[in-house]
Amino acid sequence: MWGRALAGLVPGFFVSAGLIGLIGWSLPGPWQSALVGSIAGFFPLWTFVIAASFAFADARRAWLCWSVLAFASFAALALLRATALVA
């Protein structure tokens, strides 16, 4: 149980940050205009990720899935920035 909870807290934080970053950058206009909404949406998303961590069969699978998703979200952010599709 603690392993799944920590999986939601640690890599889940980065999953939430990466997804909120992708949402903030995908909105029209500069990212600064989406900052307050992004911060407001981060905590409910992180809470959902923590709760969803308990749906995994074991802690190892939760850590693996959330870590891969966190890496993928930050890789997508880096790709967007490298291709200059966002400001």
Side-chain angles (χ1 to χ4, degrees):
M1 181 171 117
W2 286 104
R4 289 183 287 179
L6 286 173
L9 287 172
V10 178
F13 175 85
F14 294 107
V15 167
S16 300
L19 292 177
I20 288 294
L22 288 170
I23 292 169
W25 272 358
S26 66
L27 295 174
W31 65 268
Q32 292 90 350
S33 64
L35 188 62
V36 173
S38 297
I39 291 172
F42 171 79
F43 294 105
L45 179 61
W46 192 23
T47 304
F48 172 77
V49 169
I50 293 169
S53 297
F54 293 102
F56 288 99
D58 59 352
R60 184 182 59 83
R61 188 169 295 165
W63 273 90
L64 180 67
C65 290
W66 290 136
S67 298
V68 167
L69 189 56
F71 178 78
S73 65
F74 277 98
L77 285 170
L79 181 66
L80 282 174
R81 190 160 187 180
T83 58
L85 292 175
V86 294

